[in-house]
Amino acid sequence: MDIDTAELLAGQIESREMNLKTLFAEDPARAEKMTVSAAGWTLDYSKNLVDEPTMKLLVRLAEKANLKQEIEAMFNGVHINKTEDRAVLHTALRSSKTSGLVVDGQDVYGDVQAVLKQMGEFANLIRTGKWLGATGKRIKYIVNIGIGGSDLGPAMAYQALAPFTKRSLKCFFVSNVDATHMAETLLQIKADQTLFIVASKTFTTQETMTNAHTARAWLVEKLGDAAVAKHFVAVSTNAAKVAEFGIDTANMFGFWDWVGGRYSMPSAIGLSLMIAIGPTQYKRLLSGYEAMDRHFRTAPFKRNLPVLLALLGILYSNGYGADSYAVLPYDQYLARFPAYLQQLDMESNGKSVDREGNPVDYMTGPIVWGEPGTNGQHAFYQLIHQGTRLIPADFIGFCKSHNPLSDHHDKLMANFFAQTEALAFGKTAEQCRAEGVPENLVPFKTFEGNHPTNTLIAPELTPKTLGALIALYEHKVFTQGIIWNIYSFDQWGVELGKVLAGKILKELSDTTLPLAHDASTNALIAYYRANKRTK
Ligand code: F6P
């Protein structure tokens, strides 16, 4: 991050106290000025601790980081993922262009369209019952076996887009290597009506391969070896490993090393979702992503939704020292959205060295958490309202519900609007007294307010608005990575644990192996060895 500007930012915060009540009183047009719409979404960021000079300073931060050039580099396929020497082209996955981008000798748009066509044809075969299982029955259950980016995106979107799914098909998402996840899923499905999609970019991930082998053994036991071809397909970049596993590569849907796992939902990793919602709705999802991509690439920073969210996040992380931000969707269908964002944001920007390899001396990626409203209100909002930490929050809501039962939606949205109002403006001691609150209770019933929030609102949760919402956060994370001068597209931090787990796995199965870890780990492994199930 540009140090001068960072210091300036901190100085700005110290010297000028921002009070939302005063800011709103001083400028009746504040809400209007600080509301921006794009790609079906409206962002009201007026309830943030900013005024026009602060926003200008923040925009300068983006300019000084050469954000414009960096955006172009990403869209044009420059190898911006330097530590893995790869392009970062998830935006190409949702482009409606069919030609015009050649990267490392590959016709990127052409290849993307070819895989989308292959996915569409396959999805239609399943949906129309033309693809039959080994005993001649229609496929009714889809089990996506994957983890991280090969699970969270389609799992989140399958739930988010439930009203658009073919209800006679049921999708399951098995990710955890804990056998419970697979075992409980197998209890709910029938082998001769099930399609397993083994989704793994590398096709080497321990959890996914273990689950895939277990599923294969279960199916073979029930239907025999020859059934595998009708009940297993793969999504991967690694054809050799797919073939080695025993899946015909004719039943493989490919993608490319320039698609990061956590950015892979609109690649073939979305196959389960496409089967569920159909190719037409899937196309609408991609068009939502593309609309936000276009906005991000072309809108001036001060009217650019992803850039604004990124800059405000940087203000709270680096200016105010906020550790986390909450994402609070007021829509039950978006229940898994915070979990999806955790990987997107924390795996991307959880970095502590800059692009030159030097330790950073400022905060980078925040902790992301959240739950759907109104449930969260009855759990953790107390801390946001009256705790000692600053927790900026994004409130996400829709004007129309897919389930217009009595007045549920008005009640939901009344809470949605009430919370950001209460967080911003609070309740003073004087107001409490005027309401007759006894003096000894006034300190407890006073709400300080001045808690910053963003409000994101759209007419309805549809494939299109979901695509745009995901792209909004993807580009927010990208922008922050640029300003923090870190690499957002690698994830070396997950490697060490994987290597150690491989070593320990041997020690758990062969209990005669000597243990040479630290004293704590040795004792814990010994305890496990002494108590584990032996048959
Ligand atoms: O745990 C790290 C990670 O590499 C993620 O980035 C990725 O989404 C996940 O594992 C799954 O990887 P794969 O798709 O190769 O199985």
Side-chain angles (χ1 to χ4, degrees):
M1 180 156 60
D2 184 280
I3 299 305
D4 293 348
T5 326
E7 275 172 8
L8 216 61
L9 190 63
Q12 165 100 349
I13 288 155
E14 270 163 34
S15 62
R16 299 167 59 240
E17 203 189 310
M18 296 282 168
N19 182 282
L20 287 172
K21 258 189 216 155
T22 318
L23 290 168
F24 272 85
E26 279 171 4
D27 184 0
R30 178 178 171 89
E32 196 190 322
K33 284 186 200 158
M34 294 189 172
T35 295
V36 187
S37 297
W41 282 94
T42 294
L43 165 68
D44 175 347
Y45 67 94
S46 63
K47 294 192 187 85
N48 277 286
L49 305 177
V50 290
D51 57 8
E52 282 175 32
T54 313
M55 288 313 295
K56 280 203 179 116
L57 195 64
L58 287 167
V59 166
R60 237 176 71 204
L61 207 57
E63 286 163 355
K64 286 184 100 173
N66 290 327
L67 179 60
K68 190 85 200 147
Q69 291 90 318
E70 297 282 354
I71 293 172
E72 284 310 304
M74 174 171 71
F75 275 82
N76 289 325
V78 175
H79 282 212
I80 61 167
N81 177 358
K82 286 249 169 57
T83 61
E84 296 179 322
D85 192 18
R86 289 175 184 169
V88 173
L89 272 171
H90 46 272
T91 51
L93 298 168
R94 54 267 192 148
S95 171
S96 48
K97 292 189 185 143
T98 51
S99 64
L101 182 63
V102 175
V103 173
D104 305 330
Q106 185 199 351
D107 168 14
V108 171
Y109 294 139
D111 288 355
V112 165
Q113 292 304 325
V115 173
L116 278 173
K117 185 163 173 282
Q118 184 199 4
M119 289 166 67
E121 285 165 4
F122 183 71
N124 280 335
L125 288 179
I126 300 285
R127 288 168 65 83
T128 56
K130 288 189 184 126
W131 178 286
L132 298 174
T135 64
K137 289 209 175 125
R138 280 180 82 135
I139 297 298
K140 197 170 162 194
Y141 309 103
I142 314 284
V143 182
N144 185 84
I145 301 176
I147 197 164
S150 300
D151 166 72
L152 286 163
M156 174 277 289
Y158 176 66
Q159 191 173 350
L161 299 178
F164 299 86
T165 59
K166 194 174 172 75
R167 300 281 189 170
S168 58
L169 287 170
K170 195 157 170 34
C171 290
F172 297 85
F173 295 85
V174 177
S175 51
N176 201 336
V177 76
D178 182 343
T180 300
H181 206 174
M182 180 58 80
E184 287 293 333
T185 304
L186 296 180
L187 287 177
Q188 300 173 66
I189 61 177
K190 294 195 170 64
D192 57 357
Q193 293 179 286
T194 299
L195 176 78
F196 290 99
I197 301 176
V198 185
S200 174
K201 181 175 169 179
T202 54
F203 232 71
T204 56
T205 303
Q206 185 199 52
E207 293 90 332
T208 301
M209 296 328 294
T210 305
N211 280 323
H213 281 288
T214 298
R216 192 181 194 282
W218 176 82
L219 185 105
V220 167
E221 196 198 319
K222 296 198 176 315
L223 301 176
D225 241 332
V228 171
K230 285 285 167 196
H231 295 271
F232 273 83
V233 297
V235 175
S236 188
T237 57
N238 192 341
K241 287 276 174 201
V242 169
E244 199 181 295
F245 177 83
I247 295 177
D248 186 347
T249 47
N251 294 332
M252 168 180 153
F253 299 82
F255 59 114
W256 309 273
D257 68 2
W258 42 258
V259 184
R262 52 195 173 272
Y263 299 86
S264 66
M265 225 264 293
S267 72
I269 289 293
L271 182 64
S272 51
L273 178 68
M274 189 198 264
I275 295 172
I277 64 174
T280 305
Q281 293 294 355
Y282 196 82
K283 217 171 161 188
R284 292 193 182 127
L285 173 85
L286 298 184
S287 74
Y289 271 105
E290 190 183 24
M292 188 59 79
D293 292 345
R294 206 177 305 117
H295 167 75
F296 179 53
R297 198 174 181 181
T298 56
F301 293 160
K302 61 179 184 193
R303 310 287 297 167
N304 191 311
L305 266 64
V307 174
L308 287 168
L309 283 192
L311 294 176
L312 291 163
I314 282 178
L315 173 74
Y316 298 122
S317 289
N318 304 105
Y320 286 86
D323 289 318
S324 78
Y325 76 98
V327 177
L328 308 167
Y330 275 62
D331 192 306
Q332 193 59 30
Y333 286 128
L334 283 179
R336 292 290 287 160
F337 191 64
Y340 173 77
L341 276 191
Q342 282 178 331
Q343 189 201 14
L344 176 66
D345 201 330
M346 293 162 83
E347 197 169 77
S348 296
N349 285 343
K351 309 288 164 64
S352 53
V353 290
D354 67 17
R355 289 169 179 222
E356 287 71 48
N358 301 317
V360 297
D361 58 1
Y362 44 84
M363 278 220 239
T364 59
I367 301 159
V368 186
W369 58 285
E371 276 289 317
T374 58
N375 289 6
Q377 291 175 205
H378 299 273
F380 52 78
Y381 278 38
Q382 166 65 34
L383 187 139
I384 307 182
H385 281 287
Q386 286 189 318
T388 52
R389 294 166 200 274
L390 177 79
I391 302 177
D394 292 352
F395 281 71
I396 301 171
F398 300 93
C399 301
K400 286 190 210 72
S401 167
H402 287 287
N403 300 297
L405 295 177
S406 72
D407 61 351
H408 282 254
H409 197 61
D410 281 351
K411 283 181 177 152
L412 176 73
M413 293 306 282
N415 279 282
F416 176 78
F417 298 121
Q419 287 299 326
T420 60
E421 187 179 353
L423 284 165
F425 304 110
K427 190 171 178 184
T428 61
E430 289 66 41
Q431 284 172 306
C432 290
R433 287 186 191 107
E435 283 174 9
V437 172
E439 196 54 38
N440 62 327
L441 290 183
V442 167
F444 304 98
K445 294 202 165 196
T446 300
F447 287 67
E448 198 192 322
N450 224 28
H451 297 292
T453 59
N454 290 307
T455 297
L456 277 161
I457 191 162
E460 196 173 15
L461 177 56
T462 62
K464 201 164 176 180
T465 47
L466 180 67
L469 182 68
I470 300 170
L472 166 60
Y473 279 96
E474 285 178 349
H475 298 319
K476 172 202 168 178
V477 168
F478 171 83
T479 300
Q480 293 189 329
I482 296 298
I483 294 173
W484 284 324
N485 190 30
I486 55 175
Y487 287 126
S488 301
F489 296 101
D490 59 22
Q491 57 286 318
W492 301 108
V494 299
E495 291 307 319
L496 177 60
K498 284 187 194 172
V499 173
L500 284 176
K503 183 171 185 285
I504 293 174
L505 178 61
K506 292 193 191 98
E507 295 162 354
L508 299 186
S509 51
D510 181 352
T511 52
T512 63
L513 284 176
L515 299 176
H517 304 272
D518 60 277
S520 160
T521 310
N522 282 345
L524 290 167
I525 293 175
Y527 178 83
Y528 177 81
R529 279 173 163 181
N531 290 286
K532 70 179 271 190
R533 199 188 283 273
T534 46
K535 60 177 173 101

